[in-house]
Amino acid sequence: MKFSPVLLALVALPLAMGCSEQPRPVKAREAAPPSASAPAAPVVKAAPVRDPHSFSHPDEVAVDHLKLDLTVDFEKRQLTGRASLRLDNRTGADRVILDARDLTIRRVTLDDGAEARFALGEEVGTLGQPLEIRIQPATKWVHVDYSTSPTAGALQWLDPAQTSAGRRPFLLTQSQAILARTWAPVQDTPGVRMTYEATVRVPKDLLALMSAENPTQKNADGVYQFRMPQRIPSYLLALAVGDLEFRPLGQRSGVYAEPNVIELAAWELVDTPRMIDAAEALYGPYRWGRYDILILPSSFPYGGMENPRLTFATPTILARDRSLVSLIAHELAHSWSGNQVTNADWSDVWLNEGFTTYVEGRIMEAVYGKEYADMLAVLGRQELDLAVQDAGGPTDPMTKLHLDLEGLDPEDSSGDIAYQKGALFLQTLEHQVGRQAFDKFLRGYFDAFAFQSMTSDRFVAYLKKNLLAGSEARAQELKIQEWVYQPGIPSNAFVSTSTALAKVDAAVAAFQQGTSAAQISTEGWTTHHWLHFLRALPQPLDLAKMADLDAAFKLTSSGNSEILSTWLLLAVQSRYEAAYPSMERFLTSMGRRKFLKPLYAELAKTPAGAEMALRIYTKARPGYHPVSQETIDEILGWRG
Ligand code: BES
Ligand code: ZN
């Protein structure tokens, strides 16, 4: 979704609520200070810079602590209560600007209760509105009394029937990238960090959990207290409310899930403590206290979300063979890359996702061995090549790591480029300088910038100084500028190979030359062998071959979400109608956007497919999270 940068720069606040003077216009994009260069350890804290996706001016006044007091009303589908924000007024400013979208603001008070003048500015697409509050230079607290809208973009309210156990309602949030502002008035930019605490009131028989210190069981009154002592950016604010149980996985980790899923979840995620140990051995202490995982109902729009202390995860990773746990390695890795060192704004999302995809691979290698990690790397490279193709080829600006998102929704960049090109860049560096030197460098980077935000410029400066001994010649040789600021894949990219997958290539070749499916030797194949096999087949594949594969391997009824989604995509491309009922079940039984998007997009390519897609979507849409709804609405031209 696009919004006009001109509009964004010109938003002026109307007079409201008895304001007697005209507030200054809010410019979300006025002269941001240039990003700091070459920070050497010990590092000087950089002042927050302005973010094109936030109305706030944290360089003037920054929020450093948030206190929420919220009541969760399932009938009204509404959160109601108070957000109290503690201010760090750096410039003696007489206003603070927060981000708000679809919030009803009842009243704003300061410190010990004096009424404050405030105004909500003009709405700018998905950015929502600036909430400008008049303060005194000495004001320490602003208290905002507000309610959310039933259609708040971060919130999904599930009826009992949409949960796995089917008995109690459920609420879940998804704040990344710029949706926190739909459930709390905050400075909604990753460049601002705050500690937080919360009181959350829920129906008595439900448990509330946040990205904070959490309870492990329900209490009698349904009032839960939370505390998050580490400073986090707003996109890591998270809340879930439901009929949830807890099982420990180790001393400092465990899993929450609905009662009917908890045993399977605890079995599937048994290796989590080993992953934490492996990550610490590589990148230094885990700084967040506990690491727990929440398995959500199937409508959760992502595979995983790295909410600190409590990763949110889709139940579609519960494959019953532990084969999809690299997703946990990924979300855990964010505890260093992303949550500890954070992209300053969404134009540098690769600093979160690319680093995390690299670290994910290293954790997987440490826990499951090099052969497994090599398979993941080869599949990752395939995803990168497809992403470059989808973006319009290697000269398209969206294939850069550092992006220009001015006037664009950060959603528009959430393809695989940041993940896979970012990871490939770090793999390339690792192979160029040697693993030992690179590991030391990366660990030093996470330490040096812990709980701070990072830009591409700062990272490149730190890299040149600390990994390349300040040598410009070496930086040129490694094509550092080209990797970060140019489109496409530089020619020095490291090429991963996998002997395991090479065997699959041989099977694909034989199958294409006429060997029947039943004769292919698939013994010992794991999920990743199958993904490679399916991706390597011609698209479309002829119907006789589709039927032959299906008869031999029962792919249409696969219980593995990754294999099933890849197979179903091939089925649509090949018009293999025998798989359509299974596809309809899949699309109506889970809301993970990564699985929905390619299937709906492929269906939409033909008139008959589009008709079927619309029929299925009409039924499925009410069960999807707003994040997935927005994506599929656009693909199908849904008007409601
Ligand atoms: N932080 C992301 C999810 C995200 C990215 C939400 C951008 C909103 C905007 C999370 O860590 C992630 O990458 N999830 C992936 C799984 C991962 C294994 C690639 C997903 O959900 O598919
Ligand atoms: Zn991620």
Side-chain angles (χ1 to χ4, degrees):
M1 120 93 75
K2 271 193 174 44
F3 37 74
S4 150
V6 178
L7 224 193
L8 176 52
L10 292 178
V11 187
L13 292 171
L15 288 176
M17 312 305 282
C19 282
S20 58
E21 52 188 292
Q22 179 83 50
R24 276 174 284 161
V26 173
K27 288 190 200 144
R29 204 46 176 158
E30 69 198 11
S35 40
S37 59
V43 171
V44 186
K45 248 202 210 166
V49 296
R50 294 211 185 149
D51 170 345
H53 300 110
S54 169
F55 295 104
S56 65
H57 295 185
D59 49 328
E60 294 171 357
V61 188
V63 172
D64 67 6
H65 184 75
L66 167 69
K67 209 165 152 178
L68 290 171
D69 188 330
L70 295 174
T71 299
V72 178
D73 186 334
F74 279 94
E75 255 97 71
K76 292 198 188 132
R77 303 199 153 197
Q78 198 171 53
L79 304 177
T80 300
R82 166 173 286 199
S84 298
L85 304 101
R86 193 176 66 205
L87 308 181
D88 173 12
N89 192 336
R90 298 152 194 249
T91 55
D94 62 358
R95 58 172 184 166
V96 57
I97 302 165
L98 307 176
D99 295 294
R101 185 177 151 199
D102 297 332
L103 298 180
T104 303
I105 313 290
R106 266 191 310 282
R107 183 165 179 249
V108 182
T109 50
L110 304 180
D111 293 324
D112 39 19
E115 196 93 16
R117 281 177 297 155
F118 70 94
L120 275 168
E122 196 178 318
E123 219 173 295
V124 185
T126 52
L127 296 185
Q129 301 165 273
L131 169 59
E132 177 171 328
I133 299 167
R134 289 298 175 139
I135 57 171
Q136 302 292 323
T139 303
K140 214 51 212 158
W141 289 91
V142 298
H143 310 284
V144 183
D145 294 335
Y146 74 101
S147 302
T148 59
S149 151
T151 57
L155 305 181
Q156 189 177 18
W157 302 87
L158 298 174
D159 295 328
Q162 296 169 297
T163 67
S164 171
R167 290 200 306 263
R168 304 290 300 132
F170 204 103
L171 166 67
L172 63 97
T173 65
Q174 170 57 42
S175 297
Q176 196 185 2
I178 56 169
L179 296 171
R181 65 192 69 180
T182 71
W183 68 284
V186 288
Q187 292 184 320
D188 198 10
T189 165
V192 171
R193 307 183 83 90
M194 60 198 175
T195 48
Y196 81 87
E197 64 197 289
T199 302
V200 179
R201 299 154 210 281
V202 307
K204 276 192 181 53
D205 49 353
L206 300 183
L207 181 65
L209 301 171
M210 294 191 81
S211 48
E213 290 171 1
N214 274 309
T216 54
Q217 53 189 355
K218 294 169 198 160
N219 63 30
D221 57 4
V223 181
Y224 295 90
Q225 309 285 347
F226 300 91
R227 209 174 68 94
M228 179 39 140
Q230 284 92 4
R231 284 150 25 97
I232 60 155
S234 57
Y235 77 91
L236 297 176
L237 281 172
L239 170 67
V241 180
D243 183 10
L244 291 165
E245 284 183 22
F246 175 78
R247 288 280 184 287
L249 296 168
Q251 282 294 311
R252 53 174 167 169
S253 63
V255 59
Y256 296 87
E258 293 185 67
N260 62 323
V261 177
I262 189 75
E263 295 306 337
L264 173 61
W267 182 87
E268 198 92 23
L269 305 176
V270 72
D271 287 335
T272 304
R274 290 171 63 205
M275 290 185 179
I276 304 171
D277 294 345
E280 281 192 319
L282 284 165
Y283 303 117
Y286 177 77
R287 298 181 190 239
W288 304 89
R290 294 189 55 86
Y291 179 77
D292 294 319
I293 298 161
L294 167 61
I295 299 293
L296 291 153
S298 62
S299 68
F300 184 57
Y302 290 101
M305 178 64 213
E306 65 271 27
N307 297 317
R309 286 169 189 253
L310 185 65
T311 281
F312 279 26
T314 169
T316 62
I317 59 164
L318 306 177
R320 298 175 185 274
D321 61 3
R322 298 180 180 149
S323 68
L324 301 180
V325 295
S326 63
L327 183 131
I328 299 301
H330 179 98
E331 304 313 333
L332 171 66
H334 273 303
S335 307
W336 287 263
S337 43
N339 299 3
Q340 184 171 314
V341 182
T342 308
N343 51 215
D345 68 45
W346 300 112
S347 64
D348 281 327
V349 67
W350 79 277
L351 294 170
N352 279 17
E353 299 301 344
F355 276 61
T356 293
T357 303
Y358 171 81
V359 171
E360 168 196 341
R362 295 298 305 277
I363 295 173
M364 292 305 285
E365 179 176 335
V367 177
Y368 301 103
K370 187 161 180 338
E371 189 173 315
Y372 196 155
D374 285 345
M375 285 201 288
L376 294 177
V378 168
L379 291 165
R381 178 60 201 253
Q382 290 169 6
E383 283 155 25
L384 176 56
D385 292 338
L386 277 178
V388 170
Q389 206 177 303
D390 284 352
T395 56
D396 192 283
M398 291 308 275
T399 65
K400 295 180 187 179
L401 287 179
H402 173 72
L403 293 166
D404 179 8
L405 294 180
E406 179 99 43
L408 292 178
D409 193 306
E411 278 297 312
D412 297 340
S413 71
S414 56
D416 281 331
I417 300 286
Y419 290 74
Q420 298 298 346
K421 183 179 173 183
L424 187 56
F425 176 35
L426 300 194
Q427 283 157 12
T428 301
L429 288 173
E430 182 205 314
H431 283 88
Q432 292 286 340
V433 304
R435 179 167 274 195
Q436 212 184 352
F438 192 67
D439 286 359
K440 186 163 169 261
F441 163 75
L442 209 50
R443 184 183 169 153
Y445 166 78
F446 291 138
D447 282 341
F449 298 100
F451 301 105
Q452 295 185 51
S453 52
M454 182 55 54
T455 63
S456 283
D457 289 353
R458 273 181 105 192
F459 172 68
V460 166
Y462 182 84
L463 169 82
K464 286 182 182 167
K465 187 160 197 284
N466 294 282
L467 190 65
L468 310 181
S471 161
E472 240 352 280
R474 186 78 174 121
Q476 290 218 354
E477 191 190 341
L478 295 179
K479 304 184 192 291
I480 304 295
Q481 292 297 117
E482 187 183 337
W483 272 102
V484 178
Y485 299 104
Q486 299 298 318
I489 314 300
S491 58
N492 66 339
F494 177 71
V495 178
S496 291
T497 53
S498 155
T499 40
L501 295 186
K503 287 185 198 145
V504 176
D505 288 327
V508 172
F511 181 62
Q512 275 175 250
Q513 280 152 26
T515 304
S516 75
Q519 284 171 297
I520 301 175
S521 135
T522 59
E523 210 186 299
W525 279 21
T526 65
T527 296
H528 299 93
H529 295 82
W530 280 109
L531 291 178
H532 186 66
F533 180 80
L534 293 173
R535 287 181 190 180
L537 293 168
Q539 301 138 11
L541 184 65
D542 40 84
L543 281 176
K545 283 198 153 54
M546 288 295 289
D548 186 25
L549 285 175
D550 208 7
F553 306 121
K554 306 278 173 284
L555 293 159
T556 295
S557 54
S558 171
N560 183 301
S561 58
E562 293 282 351
I563 294 174
L564 182 63
S565 72
T566 307
W567 170 251
L568 292 175
L569 186 62
L570 185 62
V572 179
Q573 288 161 338
S574 311
R575 315 264 180 282
Y576 177 62
E577 293 183 8
Y580 288 8
S582 163
M583 175 173 66
E584 181 160 346
R585 268 195 306 281
F586 190 55
L587 292 173
T588 49
S589 65
M590 59 85 224
R592 184 174 175 187
R593 192 173 67 165
K594 171 186 150 180
F595 293 148
L596 301 177
K597 192 176 164 182
L599 283 171
Y600 280 112
E602 192 60 39
L603 285 169
K605 285 181 183 167
T606 65
E611 204 182 301
M612 173 161 59
L614 272 175
R615 181 179 61 72
I616 296 172
Y617 189 48
T618 305
K619 202 163 58 162
R621 189 179 185 279
Y624 296 164
H625 187 283
V627 158
S628 293
Q629 288 180 347
E630 196 181 308
T631 300
I632 311 303
D633 284 358
E634 202 164 309
I635 291 173
L636 300 181
W638 179 267
R639 305 247 182 282

